[in-house]
Amino acid sequence: MPEFNALLDGYRRFKLGAYQAQKDRFDALVEGQAPPVMVISCCDSRVDPATVFDTVPGQMFALRNVANLVPPFEGAPGLHGASAAIEFGVLGLKVSHIVVLGHARCGGIKAALSGAQLEGGGGFVDAWMTIIGEARSRVLVERPADPQATLEHEAIKISLKNLRSFPYIAAREAEGSLKLHGALFGIEQGELEVLDEATGVFTPS
C-alpha cells in the first residue's frame, strides 16, 4: 500500500503545514461555503485547477470529469452527475463565474480522435465523448495541422455552448449576474490561454 501511504504522509504534512497556516480561513468555512467561481475541468491528474489558479479553500467550486465536458441540458430524469454539480453551483451557491478549463495533451480527446475503446468497461467513456462527436468528425475531415489541439479548443467552446442550454444559466448570463469563460492550460510550458468568445480565438493570458 505504498501509494495510499504516500497520501497519508501528504495529509500529515498538510495538517501540520498548510492547514495551520490557513486555520482562520478553515474556521470561517466550517458553517458553509460561498465560492464566487465554479471551474469545470478535466479529471486528469496533471491538471489540478486549484493548483493552476493558486486558489485558497472556499474560493472555487470544482467539477472534474473526463475532458472537461458539459452535456447539454436534459429535462428527462436520470443520473446526471455533471448537470447536478452545475445546478448546485449556480442555483445553490450562486456562483457569479463559470470557467471551463481544458488542457493540452488530454487523454479523453486523444481517445476520441483515435476511436480507442477501454476493454472490459461499460462504454461510459465512449458515450460521454459523443458530446463532442460532431466536432470530432469535422476535425477528422478537415485534418488540421494539430488535430488534438484543435479538438481540445473546440471542446471548450462546445461546453460553453452547452452551459447556455441550461435555462437558468442563460437567464443569469442575460441579466449580467453570471459570466462564462473558457481557458486552456498547456502542461509543457505552464501557459494559460483564455478564449475571446467574440473572435473565437484563444490567447495567452
Side-chain angles (χ1 to χ4, degrees):
M1 295 173 39
E3 295 83 2
F4 181 64
N5 287 335
L7 295 182
L8 295 179
D9 289 341
Y11 159 72
R12 296 182 186 105
R13 292 192 301 273
F14 161 75
K15 183 66 184 297
L16 295 174
Y19 181 78
Q20 297 302 325
Q22 301 184 88
K23 186 64 168 61
D24 289 344
R25 187 164 186 86
F26 279 108
D27 288 345
L29 293 168
V30 168
E31 298 302 325
Q33 59 172 327
V37 177
M38 178 175 186
V39 177
I40 302 171
S41 64
C42 186
C43 50
D44 192 299
S45 63
R46 301 166 295 176
V47 187
D48 173 20
T51 300
V52 171
F53 292 120
D54 193 23
T55 59
V56 295
Q59 185 178 352
M60 178 181 69
F61 181 62
L63 164 62
R64 302 185 68 177
N65 60 42
V66 175
N68 45 266
L69 297 180
V70 173
F73 177 81
E74 288 185 48
L79 302 177
H80 304 295
S83 298
I86 292 166
E87 182 175 277
F88 183 67
V90 176
L91 299 182
L93 299 176
K94 296 180 171 34
V95 298
S96 53
H97 297 268
I98 300 178
V99 180
V100 177
L101 175 66
H103 70 96
R105 302 179 186 272
C106 177
I109 298 295
K110 181 178 180 180
L113 283 170
S114 67
Q117 297 183 339
L118 296 174
E119 294 183 10
F124 299 115
V125 174
D126 297 332
W128 180 249
M129 297 310 293
T130 60
I131 294 171
I132 57 170
E134 290 184 11
R136 170 192 181 271
S137 299
R138 187 168 63 252
V139 167
L140 291 176
V141 169
E142 295 176 356
R143 303 179 67 86
D146 190 339
Q148 167 122 2
T150 300
L151 192 53
E152 285 163 352
H153 288 88
E154 286 301 306
I156 295 169
K157 296 177 183 178
I158 290 168
S159 286
L160 289 170
K161 177 182 177 181
N162 287 346
L163 279 171
R164 292 184 173 106
S165 71
F166 288 71
Y168 49 84
I169 289 180
R172 282 161 174 74
E173 187 179 33
E175 71 184 20
S177 62
L178 178 64
K179 297 185 183 300
L180 307 185
H181 312 269
L184 186 137
F185 177 69
I187 296 173
E188 189 171 358
Q189 300 297 330
E191 186 173 78
L192 185 74
E193 298 177 349
V194 176
L195 172 64
D196 180 344
E197 288 200 86
T199 63
V201 175
F202 286 80
T203 55
S205 63

